[in-house]
Amino acid sequence: MFRHRNLLFTLVVVLSIMLATACGPAATPAPVEEPTQAPATEAPTEAAATEEAQATEAPAFAPGTTITYLASQDWIKESEMQLAEKFEAETGVHVDFQIIPSDQYFNVLETKLESGGEGIDIFGGQSGKTDIKLQLNVEKNAVPLTDQEWVTRMNPLSVEQVSLDGETYGLTAWDTVGGSWVMVYNKTIFADNGLSVPTNFAEFEAACQAILDAGITPVYEPVADGWHHVLWFLEMGPVYEAANPGLADALNANQATFAGDPTMLTALTQYNEMYDKGYFGADALSNEFVNTEAALASGEYAMTVNRFGLPSLIHEAYPDVAADNFGFFIIPLADNQIWNVNPAAPSKFIYSGSKNIEAAKAYFEFLTRPENLQYMLDNEAQFTMLNFEGITAELSADQQAFFDTYTEQGTVYQTAVNYVNPQWMDVGQDLTAMFTDAMTPADVLASVDQRRTDMAEAAGDNAWK
């Protein structure tokens, strides 16, 4: 059997040789070309696979992606809205700004967050450790941003005010130094009445009376918004601290009270007297912040509490009114002469339940590019400088004069003292009640203390146990 198989195999080989010989040279390339054709067929296959992968790969953001940004009135500047348009042109992501009146904002935000945050991708809030913990509950409601590159360029004091337990939750792109709230005054009105910049409250009161006697309302105070008139009280933290060193720490340790501090009582008493004497005019309770530029440009008011950028805003809205017609000095309640600085400011947070977290992060990254921050500064008259490295600020002569005059700085109490800033609008209601004789200055201080106690106990603060 074995021999038969060998014979069969021999016949097959012989026949194969004969067949190859008969077919001639035309048939011989086949076995030679076969190995060279393999790479030629593999290359198109790899290219096709790459093209197919590129064709099916999802874009960075789905077409029509929109991020909704909920914010309080005056927190979103026109320059940011313009940058948002550039962001959309670059990424295809639209930013939908939903601006809420300031006296309603936190109620609206709280309601939305408690109901699951539907429709929110980014929300605004005041920074400050107490605020972001108690009012915003960022550990639950916000996305940690600690690993974002721009955090390393943001002012460390600002970073601290949007951080808890080593995690950074917010973006603060604001004029936290040049954004100080100071007295902005009409230099022409002062000169016409022989007045100089006051250095204590008695001089300030005398200036107000002289201006009033000249038929001009001394101060434009927009009480109707519910927040602005609180500045006179809480921005005075530096003078409270100077009069009683360590007071902020004592308040945070529940070892002192607002009602027990004589300097606070003095400041509120003087403030109330200003209203009673007509220094804010007959329309203070109905005046609105949005009308500040018009009020100062008209010459019907001599002063207001605002920021270093106000003169430029006035000139921008009313070109016939020169920006250098306005100067600056410290709010002098309780004889204060210390520059009130607040490292906290309106900030942006990404909602933890957002479906567009990466798009929101991309928006933050876009805003914090040095060229875009510079654009924001250059195109926002309200800002004198920004709290980021690498931004160039130009100061006017009047701004520089203020910086040279008031070299001592202190932190405002809404940031230095726990459980204060979250009750800002409540304090505003109390101060309005004080103006209308429904509360006394002492009542206002006691009311602040009670709310602080309520919040501290609700937070389980050990100092209140």
Side-chain angles (χ1 to χ4, degrees):
M1 184 70 175
F2 177 78
R3 293 178 59 188
H4 285 280
R5 286 181 180 174
N6 284 343
L7 179 60
L8 180 60
F9 173 78
T10 302
L11 289 172
V12 170
V13 171
V14 171
L15 287 173
S16 297
I17 294 172
M18 293 174 63
L19 180 61
T21 304
C23 290
T28 57
V32 177
E33 289 181 358
E34 187 172 301
T36 61
Q37 288 176 352
T41 57
E42 288 175 7
T45 301
E46 291 175 357
T50 301
E51 291 175 0
E52 183 179 354
Q54 291 175 341
T56 58
E57 183 178 352
F61 305 108
T65 297
T66 294
I67 50 178
T68 301
Y69 182 3
L70 191 72
S72 179
Q73 189 175 0
D74 196 47
W75 285 359
I76 307 299
K77 305 304 180 184
E78 182 63 29
S79 55
E80 181 176 342
M81 291 186 176
Q82 293 167 356
L83 286 171
E85 293 178 359
K86 295 180 180 181
F87 174 71
E88 182 173 4
E90 178 179 306
T91 65
V93 177
H94 176 66
V95 183
D96 177 21
F97 295 103
Q98 295 190 4
I99 310 301
I100 309 298
S102 55
D103 61 342
Q104 303 172 27
Y105 177 69
F106 283 107
N107 287 335
V108 172
L109 176 62
E110 182 180 359
T111 299
K112 283 185 172 290
L113 292 178
E114 288 181 350
S115 61
E118 184 176 356
I120 299 178
D121 297 301
I122 300 171
F123 62 90
Q126 285 285 352
S127 64
K129 288 185 176 295
T130 304
D131 296 75
I132 67 172
K133 183 176 181 66
L134 298 182
Q135 190 168 41
L136 302 179
N137 192 9
V138 294
E139 292 169 304
K140 173 186 175 184
N141 293 321
V143 174
L145 301 170
T146 315
D147 62 348
Q148 300 296 291
E149 180 276 333
W150 51 261
V151 174
T152 64
R153 292 183 283 112
M154 195 162 76
N155 185 293
L157 293 178
S158 295
V159 173
E160 182 181 359
Q161 297 303 322
V162 288
S163 301
L164 291 174
D165 297 328
E167 287 283 6
T168 299
Y169 291 93
L171 163 61
T172 307
W174 204 262
D175 188 354
T176 56
V177 176
S180 299
W181 293 93
V182 298
M183 298 302 306
V184 181
Y185 74 101
N186 186 312
K187 295 192 291 186
T188 300
I189 293 176
F190 267 56
D192 290 347
N193 289 277
L195 302 171
S196 58
V197 171
T199 60
N200 54 49
F201 181 74
E203 293 176 3
F204 177 63
E205 188 175 31
C208 286
Q209 190 60 52
I211 292 168
L212 187 62
D213 292 343
I216 300 170
T217 303
V219 179
Y220 182 76
E221 179 47 56
V223 176
D225 295 275
W227 63 270
H228 185 274
H229 59 306
V230 182
L231 294 165
W232 290 80
F233 172 39
L234 295 179
E235 289 280 320
M236 294 297 92
V239 75
Y240 306 149
E241 194 70 17
N244 187 356
L247 177 59
D249 290 339
L251 287 165
N252 289 335
N254 195 24
Q255 296 172 355
T257 62
F258 276 56
D261 186 71
T263 309
M264 291 188 189
L265 183 61
T266 296
L268 281 189
T269 300
Q270 292 173 345
Y271 188 27
N272 196 35
E273 289 173 354
M274 290 179 64
Y275 178 86
D276 290 342
K277 291 180 179 180
Y279 296 160
F280 298 144
D283 300 322
L285 296 180
S286 59
N287 284 340
E288 297 179 342
F289 184 72
V290 70
N291 297 322
T292 300
E293 290 89 343
L296 270 290
S298 70
E300 297 175 5
Y301 294 85
M303 296 175 276
T304 192
V305 171
N306 212 287
R307 291 165 287 205
F308 295 106
L310 178 62
S312 295
L313 289 175
I314 294 172
H315 177 66
E316 186 178 282
Y318 303 91
D320 293 339
V321 182
D324 63 5
N325 192 44
F326 299 91
F328 313 96
F329 62 88
I330 288 293
I331 303 172
L333 292 181
D335 296 336
N336 178 51
Q337 288 295 287
I338 306 173
W339 183 358
N340 46 298
V341 175
N342 188 355
S347 303
K348 313 174 195 300
F349 303 86
I350 299 174
Y351 177 52
S352 57
S354 167
K355 297 179 181 178
N356 299 303
I357 289 176
E358 293 307 315
K361 284 183 177 181
Y363 180 59
F364 284 12
E365 183 277 328
F366 180 85
L367 287 181
T368 54
R369 294 176 189 173
E371 64 271 22
N372 291 335
L373 289 169
Q374 190 69 54
Y375 180 88
M376 188 181 297
L377 176 61
D378 293 344
N379 291 277
E380 179 47 58
Q382 183 177 324
F383 291 164
T384 306
M385 53 192 74
L386 282 180
N387 57 330
F388 271 81
E389 295 177 357
I391 311 302
T392 303
E394 297 182 5
L395 300 179
S396 70
D398 291 297
Q399 291 164 348
Q400 189 63 57
F402 179 95
F403 292 177
D404 293 341
T405 300
Y406 302 100
T407 56
E408 184 179 1
Q409 298 181 357
T411 302
V412 297
Y413 260 28
Q414 64 266 33
T415 298
V417 180
N418 296 337
Y419 314 116
V420 171
N421 203 50
Q423 54 172 300
W424 189 282
M425 300 302 288
D426 296 313
V427 175
Q429 293 175 3
D430 289 346
L431 292 175
T432 301
M434 180 183 74
F435 291 153
T436 55
D437 297 326
M439 294 180 74
T440 66
D443 292 336
V444 173
L445 295 175
S447 183
V448 173
D449 284 331
Q450 185 59 57
R451 283 190 293 266
R452 289 190 70 234
T453 296
D454 293 342
M455 283 188 278
E457 290 179 348
D461 192 316
N462 290 329
W464 269 260
K465 290 183 179 179

